[in-house]
Amino acid sequence: MMHICLENRTEETVKIYFEKANTPGIKAMLPQKAQTVEEALADYKKTLLPDADSYGKTIVVNGIYIGDIWCYCINVNEEPNAMLSYCIFEQAYWSRGIATQAVAMFLKEIHAKYRLGTIGAFTYSENSASIRVLEKNGFALMAEFSEDGKSSKYLQYTY
């Protein structure tokens, strides 16, 4: 049986995430904002500030750190109120329902913490697994578009 939980990020998990998510397979599906581990650590430290507009957790299965989930652009006066992103960097845990459960847990947590009404998510159109995760959690397709030659989708969740 899998025990899935969301835990607090630390400088150590930020370093691990940066290294693991910086592989060609993951970068092809999830572009990384930070170009260096120092940038990733600086971004993480901003999330600890009282007025932070992003918030994240680690995804842990049976005590093993396998990925991250976060929201960014948090602003209850904007539509959507935040954007969601997640990544399971350990491929052995793909297609096992973990991301679906982690997203469900995280949506509850951020709703309680920030009183969000809506949350959006972008994904590449070819990333069918991510689209399924979002749809299983009640996200609805709002738009399809092409950016830098890549077909993408925007989905949104309403609480």
Side-chain angles (χ1 to χ4, degrees):
M1 169 128 173
M2 287 188 296
H3 175 68
I4 301 166
C5 61
L6 304 179
E7 296 183 359
N8 291 330
R9 296 169 70 223
T10 64
E11 287 191 19
E12 188 58 32
T13 62
V14 170
K15 291 176 189 174
I16 292 167
Y17 178 85
F18 182 81
E19 177 187 323
K20 299 265 189 175
N22 234 338
T23 62
I26 291 178
K27 285 178 83 164
M29 291 295 165
L30 181 68
Q32 302 298 316
K33 176 181 170 276
Q35 297 302 304
T36 65
V37 71
E38 292 78 16
E39 277 182 53
L41 286 166
D43 288 345
Y44 161 69
K45 288 175 182 169
K46 288 178 194 169
T47 70
L48 303 176
L49 300 174
D51 61 346
D53 68 352
S54 63
Y55 175 77
K57 291 286 200 168
T58 61
I59 302 169
V60 177
V61 176
N62 298 336
I64 300 167
Y65 170 44
I66 66 160
D68 278 19
I69 187 165
W70 63 97
C71 58
Y72 57 98
C73 296
I74 302 167
N75 184 337
V76 294
N77 299 314
E78 297 285 329
E79 179 74 22
N81 301 151
M83 296 299 295
L84 175 73
S85 199
Y86 51 89
C87 174
I88 294 181
F89 53 70
E90 293 294 352
Q91 291 188 19
Y93 291 89
W94 288 4
S95 301
R96 295 175 64 184
I98 296 165
T100 300
Q101 189 171 337
V103 167
M105 294 164 68
F106 192 70
L107 287 173
K108 286 179 189 160
E109 181 174 333
I110 61 174
H111 180 63
K113 185 174 179 70
Y114 296 104
R115 295 290 171 219
L116 303 177
T118 56
I119 188 160
F122 289 107
T123 186
Y124 291 132
S125 297
E126 68 195 49
N127 193 345
S128 57
S130 186
I131 293 165
R132 277 195 309 277
V133 166
L134 294 167
E135 289 174 342
K136 285 180 184 179
N137 276 288
F139 281 75
L141 179 64
M142 305 297 282
E144 295 186 59
F145 58 95
S146 184
E147 188 173 56
D148 298 327
K150 278 202 87 127
S151 177
S152 297
K153 295 186 179 200
Y154 171 71
L155 296 93
Q156 187 167 297
Y157 177 84
T158 301
Y159 286 94

